[in-house]
Amino acid sequence: MKTITRTLKTAALLLAVAVLGCSSELSNSGAPVELVVTNTQNLQILDVGPTTDPDCDGTIGTIDMLLLAKRENVSTPFTQARITRYRVSYQRTDGGRLVPAPFVRSTDTLISVGGTASLGQFLVIEPDAFSQAPFAALLPQNGGRDPDTGRAFVKLDVIVEVFGETIGGDRVYDATRFPLEFCYGCGCS
């Protein structure tokens, strides 16, 4: 009797896994649209010190958003998406460990199916981050070198995640990366 009960439980578990594995709802968003986020990058190097380099006054770049229909003939008003926020986080690419704290900012952009929008004004580094790890170590008074790598620069990817939802209430999301190098007294480009 114990073997039959165990066999029935195993069969039920396998059936549940098979049924759930066939559902695209578990692996894909149920939204009728897909948000595609890319970027155009203007600067690859940022100087954390005082500089007269005119390139340092430029913007990092833009975040470009496109809303695509997942199926043909999707054009109801419920498939417009309102982009409500973006999250910025960091990943070191130079072997170091320390990264700035992530943060979230609000935005408000409405995109129709097939439409595009851009975030031209957005933060990738909070203003006080240059006085904190890992950037503070690059300042001459702090040794001018990253303690994790021993180098005079910090390389990291800035990850920008964009969040919103359709007017129908389905969530949309995508992310893009900006590879950046931070240094002291090197200018920007």
Side-chain angles (χ1 to χ4, degrees):
M1 184 69 166
K2 197 174 193 181
T3 306
I4 292 173
T5 304
R6 191 177 313 161
T7 304
L8 287 174
K9 286 181 181 178
T10 303
L13 179 63
L14 290 174
L15 178 61
V17 168
V19 168
L20 292 175
C22 293
S23 173
S24 65
E25 290 299 314
L26 293 178
S27 58
N28 295 325
S29 165
V33 295
E34 179 179 2
L35 178 65
V36 178
V37 176
T38 58
N39 72 59
T40 304
Q41 188 166 349
N42 299 331
L43 297 175
Q44 285 76 34
I45 299 173
L46 292 178
D47 194 329
V48 300
T51 181
T52 58
D53 185 347
D55 288 337
C56 292
D57 292 334
T59 61
I60 301 292
T62 59
I63 296 174
D64 304 308
M65 301 173 289
L66 170 65
L67 194 65
L68 297 174
K70 288 184 178 177
R71 297 176 292 280
E72 290 184 35
N73 300 324
V74 175
S75 62
T76 69
F78 295 111
T79 57
Q80 290 179 316
R82 181 168 302 283
I83 306 306
T84 57
R85 68 193 183 287
Y86 65 92
R87 179 179 188 268
V88 177
S89 60
Y90 309 91
Q91 183 177 24
R92 291 287 291 263
T93 58
D94 60 3
R97 296 177 318 239
L98 295 173
V99 295
F103 63 90
V104 176
R105 289 286 183 267
S106 296
T107 188
D108 187 23
T109 302
L110 186 65
I111 308 173
S112 297
V113 171
T116 61
S118 294
L119 290 176
Q121 299 293 323
F122 60 95
L123 282 177
V124 295
I125 301 286
E126 292 196 281
D128 64 342
F130 290 134
S131 63
Q132 300 171 17
F135 308 119
L138 301 178
L139 302 176
Q141 64 269 26
N142 297 331
R145 300 213 169 266
D146 177 48
D148 284 344
T149 64
R151 298 182 183 129
F153 59 85
V154 169
K155 284 187 177 183
L156 53 77
D157 279 354
V158 176
I159 304 161
V160 181
E161 300 169 281
V162 178
F163 301 91
E165 64 179 45
T166 66
I167 303 302
D170 294 309
R171 292 183 196 155
V172 293
Y173 158 88
D174 201 13
T176 188
R177 290 176 178 249
F178 291 89
L180 292 172
E181 180 177 322
F182 296 85
C183 55
Y184 181 88
C186 62
C188 299
S189 61

